[in-house]
């Protein structure tokens, strides 16, 4: 079983400043870094480092080739990635002296998928394969319908949360990968509602689906019909939580592709994301499967 990920690919432009620039003002940045980003890219890398066969589907512009190079180094299949004559999806991120950020996203080529392109990619799919998608590309509903028609299992990470989730055919989703805030929004409940109540509501609303609800340092909850499972975090010194959820998602789905049990999938994904949290940066912080195995052997829960 393989994963086809219709995922975003972003160039993150990160500017460190003392204070956020004010209207009409021009300031010098203290430093600047370019990083590979996009939930799609991170999740493909995580699933591939976990050992899954991952085909990444998405579009870049001519300035985005370093993104596909990085995915290829992680053994993601990039043969379906299209290069268009348009700017790659990118962000402008200001980080001020107190560590707060402000982010502008330009969807760029992430928003230029076409129905023909979906059909070309899905010609590679076999029934029972897993399709993965987030909400950073266009044609979400079409991806859901077309992959369902193919008999694929569907994993949806609705992030950022769609304006109107009820307009999407979410009854086709087999796995919802959500953090606590996304779960509350999807359930139409207050963010401070008890986790179990949110999970119950989601299980009632989407009885066909498994819900994987990550809770940051509070671990993860899982629900599938009447089954409820949970896993605590592996305690680490948190250095940078960027890509924690993406690492969890990729590792969890990779375990399912190997037919591992849900308990194993939750444990491996928790260990992998704990390692990612203990290291700086996004994609570079995602561990290899060997590292996750060694970490689990040494960890005391
Ligand atoms: N401080 C932490 N220490 C160890 N593991 C963590 C920590 N924060 C998050 N994780 C792990 O990463 C998973 C995903 O984190 P979460 O914050 O829920 O996702 P997102 O990045 O989507 O908000 C958690 O379920 C947990 O297993
Ligand atoms: Mg979080």
């Amino acid at each position: 079983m393989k994963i086809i990920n219709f995922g975003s690919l972003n160039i993150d432009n990160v500017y460190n400043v003392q204070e956020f620039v004010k209207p009409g003002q021009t300031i010098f940045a203290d430093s600047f870094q370019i990083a590979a980003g996009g939930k799609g890219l991170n999740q493909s890398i995580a699933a591939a480092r976990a050992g899954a066969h991952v085909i990444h589907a998405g579009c870049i512009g001519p300035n985005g080739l370093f993104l596909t190079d990085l995915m290829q180094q992680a053994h993601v299949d990039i043969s379906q990635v299209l290069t268009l004559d348009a700017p790659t999806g990118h962000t402008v991120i200001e980080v001020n002296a107190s560590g707060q950020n402000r982010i502008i996203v330009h969807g760029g080529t992430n928003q230029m998928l076409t129905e023909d392109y979906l059909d070309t990619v899905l010609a590679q799919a076999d029934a029972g394969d897993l399709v993965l998608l987030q909400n950073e590309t266009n044609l979400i509903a079409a991806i859901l319908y077309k992959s369902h028609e193919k008999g694929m299992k569907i994993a949806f990470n609705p992030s950022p949360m769609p304006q109107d989730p009820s307009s999407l055919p979410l009854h086709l989703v087999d796995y919802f990968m959500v953090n606590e805030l996304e779960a509350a929004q999807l359930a139409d409940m207050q963010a401070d509602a008890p986790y179990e109540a949110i999970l119950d509501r989601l299980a009632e609303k989407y009885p066909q689906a498994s819900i994987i609800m990550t809770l940051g340092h509070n671990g993860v909850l899982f629900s599938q019909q009447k089954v409820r499972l949970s896993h605590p975090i592996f305690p680490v010194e948190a250095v940078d939580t960027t890509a924690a959820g993406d690492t969890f998602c990729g590792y969890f789905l990779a375990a399912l592709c190997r037919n591992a049990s849900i308990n194993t999938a939750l444990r491996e994904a928790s260990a992998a994301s704990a390692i990612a949290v203990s290291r700086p940066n996004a994609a570079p912080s995602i561990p290899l499967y060997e590292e996750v195995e060694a970490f689990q052997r040494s960890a005391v829960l």
Side-chain angles (χ1 to χ4, degrees), residues 58-199:
C59 301
I60 55 171
N63 60 339
L65 291 170
F66 78 97
L67 303 175
T68 39
D69 286 348
L70 190 76
M71 288 200 294
Q72 195 167 30
Q73 283 158 23
H75 302 293
V76 176
D77 179 341
I78 57 158
S79 60
Q80 300 299 309
V81 175
L82 268 192
T83 304
L84 304 176
D85 188 18
T88 306
H90 61 275
T91 59
V92 174
I93 305 178
E94 277 182 272
V95 181
N96 72 11
S98 33
Q100 294 172 301
N101 62 35
R102 294 205 306 196
I103 305 177
I104 300 173
V105 185
H106 180 250
T109 47
N110 289 322
Q111 295 294 326
M112 295 182 182
L113 309 190
T114 62
E115 300 242 1
D116 282 350
Y117 175 66
L118 304 189
D119 292 337
T120 308
V121 171
L122 289 174
Q124 314 279 317
D126 296 306
D129 283 348
L130 196 63
V131 71
L132 169 61
L133 66 165
Q134 312 80 30
N135 190 34
E136 289 186 336
T137 60
N138 62 330
L139 295 186
I140 300 299
I143 297 169
L144 293 170
Y145 283 122
K146 285 175 188 285
S147 34
H148 179 73
E149 267 166 35
K150 279 267 171 183
M152 300 177 80
K153 292 278 175 205
I154 299 178
F156 184 35
N157 170 218
S159 182
M161 184 53 72
Q163 292 285 332
D164 181 13
S166 62
S167 68
L168 293 172
L170 297 184
H171 59 283
L172 303 179
V173 173
D174 297 286
Y175 300 96
F176 282 103
M177 313 297 303
V178 283
N179 69 14
E180 71 273 43
L181 298 174
E182 292 148 3
Q185 282 176 285
L186 195 61
D188 247 325
M189 291 172 75
Q190 298 294 330
D192 59 357
Y195 297 145
E196 300 288 346
I198 294 173
L199 199 62

Side-chain angles (χ1 to χ4, degrees), residues 16-70:
N16 288 94
V17 296
Q18 284 304 307
E19 286 183 44
F20 293 142
V21 63
K22 294 181 183 59
Q25 195 186 24
T26 301
I27 59 170
F28 278 105
D30 295 337
S31 63
F32 168 61
Q33 305 93 45
I34 292 184
K39 291 174 199 297
L41 174 140
N42 291 337
Q43 292 175 17
S44 276
I45 289 179
R49 289 198 175 141
H53 175 195
V54 185
I55 299 179
H56 190 96
C59 301
I60 55 171
N63 60 339
L65 291 170
F66 78 97
L67 303 175
T68 39
D69 286 348
L70 190 76

Side-chain angles (χ1 to χ4, degrees), residues 195-204 209 211 220-231 262-263 266:
Y195 297 145
E196 300 288 346
I198 294 173
L199 199 62
D200 285 346
R201 175 78 63 85
L202 288 178
E204 196 179 285
I211 319 287
V220 58
L221 297 177
F222 171 90
S223 135
Q224 186 176 48
Q225 297 183 344
K226 298 257 175 287
V227 178
R228 293 285 190 280
L229 301 170
S230 64
H231 203 287
I262 298 290
N263 275 316
L266 293 173

